[in-house]
Amino acid sequence: MAHDIVSEISPRPGDRIGDLSTPRPIIDEDRMAANIARVQSYMDAHGLNFRPHIKTHKIPALASAQVKAGAKGINCQKIAEAEVFADAGFEDILITFNIIGAEKLARLSTLNHRIAGLKVVADSMATVDGLSAQFAARKPLTVLVECDTGGGRCGVQSPEEAAALARQISGKPGLIFGGLMTYPRPNSAGAIQTFLAETILLLQRDGIECAIVSSGGTPSLYEAHLVTAATEHRAGTYIYNDRSMVRAGHCGEEDCAMHILATVVSRPTPDRAVIDAGSKALTSDLLGFSDYGAVVGYPEAVITNLSEEHGVIDLSKCSGPRPAIGDKIRIVPNHTCVVSNLFDSMVFHRDGIVTRVEDVTARGLVW
């Protein structure tokens, strides 16, 4: 019965966006295509390989569009994501996460036998030892050293440590040293370049080839060409863009392909509207904002509070018309990547007419 109900309310090509049941993410086909083309054109102009991070959309059809535009392989964060995309025919996959534990290592080994171009990262001997123990008697696995060039997350802390770990990988049974990888803080091209260049020089002195040097991030994506040591760049959010990317100067609101469609369900006071999109639709991610998204067409409206199913909007500063009960509004989310993991499917449209519905195939696969 539940499946029948879902089928009845599922959008179909030709439906009007304004008639859809809410809350629901909607993706503008033309904006998305323009985002893909713009970033790929930039990478091509600067001779950088581009490896899109699929965590933003988790949809094989979109990764195919990115590769068709010129991207080289894809970036996954977890083995489960990589397994889904391997099932969809992708061969060149970089998993940018330390893989720890017997169950994950066994699955990684199976995946490595299935596809030709699997690569992973490591930032410690503990991780390297675990990988070597699993792959010593199997098809060798390519491993990149993860470097902390200022992002303050994972990664070795100096070029000397990076070179030392690379030497260890090169000498370990079952492993192939593949290069360097970093996820840096935004707007730090100089620091990234210095760290990577110094590491490469140390490796050259040891006669160790560094085939891949992978930097990443969307917020300062258009500084990628300043990191001349890098051979490739990874980014995910750019395909949809979001409010945080607008703030970072990466794009304008007109480049945001994802909106959350919501309905006003209550107007308890003249200055308050309540919508049917709460933390299960918009996410509670603030990313430095004090509110939970930008309401399209109502620039002074402020989404002040989210519960699971309700969003509260302060309209007190709105000088023009205010939304009424039953009105549908669009919201630019603070963070698109989390929204993708909240819904089973994404609705795509052109000029307000549904073009297709894609399952978020890798939704919830965070292990």
Side-chain angles (χ1 to χ4, degrees):
M1 178 64 72
H3 179 74
D4 292 341
I5 293 172
V6 171
S7 298
E8 289 175 6
I9 64 173
S10 294
R12 296 176 176 83
D15 288 351
R16 293 176 61 255
I17 289 296
D19 294 335
L20 300 184
S21 183
T22 61
R24 189 182 300 277
I26 55 173
I27 311 296
D28 186 299
E29 294 267 24
D30 294 332
R31 291 186 180 188
M32 182 182 71
N35 292 338
I36 293 173
R38 181 171 59 251
V39 171
Q40 189 63 54
S41 177
Y42 165 79
M43 295 296 171
D44 291 345
H46 292 285
L48 276 167
N49 291 327
F50 184 46
R51 184 181 296 276
H53 203 322
I54 59 80
K55 71 181 178 67
T56 298
H57 54 72
K58 293 176 171 277
I59 299 174
L62 300 196
S64 293
Q66 291 169 308
V67 170
K68 184 178 180 181
K72 176 180 170 55
I74 60 171
N75 179 192
C76 296
Q77 199 76 332
K78 298 294 181 68
I79 297 174
E81 290 179 334
E83 289 167 337
V84 165
F85 281 80
D87 288 344
F90 291 87
E91 292 276 340
D92 188 345
I93 300 176
L94 171 62
I95 303 175
T96 48
F97 208 90
N98 284 314
I99 297 173
I100 307 294
E103 185 270 341
K104 287 185 172 63
L105 289 169
R107 286 167 51 213
L108 187 67
S109 180
T110 300
L111 184 61
N112 193 44
H113 276 276
R114 289 178 56 197
I115 65 175
L118 182 64
K119 292 167 281 289
V120 301
V121 302
D123 70 351
S124 71
M125 276 308 301
T127 303
V128 170
D129 286 341
L131 293 170
S132 180
Q134 179 68 37
F135 288 89
R138 296 174 172 85
K139 175 187 171 185
L141 177 70
T142 298
V143 184
L144 282 64
V145 172
E146 181 167 3
C147 305
D148 180 3
T149 58
R153 197 163 66 182
C154 296
V156 296
Q157 296 298 296
S158 70
E160 291 76 18
E161 288 183 51
L165 191 59
R167 286 191 291 269
Q168 293 287 337
I169 293 169
S170 296
K172 281 288 186 179
L175 304 183
I176 299 169
F177 172 65
L180 307 173
M181 170 265 173
T182 186
Y183 182 73
R185 62 182 173 85
N187 306 306
S188 61
I192 305 165
Q193 172 62 20
T194 297
F195 191 114
L196 296 177
E198 290 182 6
T199 305
I200 292 168
L201 182 59
L202 292 172
L203 293 173
Q204 287 174 343
R205 290 173 181 171
D206 290 334
I208 298 175
E209 181 185 0
C210 191
I212 301 171
V213 182
S214 183
S215 188
T218 296
S220 53
L221 184 153
Y222 291 112
E223 290 187 356
H225 67 285
L226 300 177
V227 184
T228 56
T231 63
E232 71 173 30
H233 193 88
R234 311 177 319 279
T237 310
Y238 83 97
I239 189 172
Y240 291 155
N241 288 317
D242 57 24
R243 195 179 180 205
S244 70
M245 293 300 105
V246 175
R247 180 186 58 193
H250 171 73
C251 64
E253 188 173 304
E254 69 278 5
D255 301 312
C256 292
M258 175 188 280
H259 289 160
I260 309 303
L261 190 68
T263 301
V264 177
V265 296
S266 178
R267 285 292 311 278
T269 74
D271 289 339
R272 189 195 319 159
V274 181
I275 56 175
D276 59 357
S279 62
K280 290 180 177 176
L282 289 172
T283 95
S284 54
D285 275 15
L286 287 171
L287 297 184
F289 292 102
S290 59
D291 55 344
Y292 296 93
V295 184
V296 178
Y298 299 92
E300 295 103 353
V302 180
I303 305 175
T304 58
N305 186 50
L306 299 181
S307 50
E308 291 182 59
E309 309 293 354
H310 298 79
V312 177
I313 304 179
D314 180 359
L315 303 173
S316 61
K317 295 181 180 178
C318 293
S319 55
R322 301 179 177 191
I325 291 175
D327 285 353
K328 287 188 169 69
I329 61 173
R330 299 188 186 193
I331 299 163
V332 178
N334 290 346
H335 193 185
T336 59
C337 304
V338 182
V339 173
S340 290
N341 204 49
L342 296 174
F343 289 86
D344 290 331
S345 62
M346 290 285 150
V347 176
F348 295 77
H349 71 98
R350 182 173 285 112
D351 297 325
I353 302 299
V354 175
T355 54
R356 55 177 166 150
V357 179
E358 296 280 359
D359 290 340
V360 184
T361 315
R363 181 196 175 195
L365 303 183
V366 295
W367 55 87

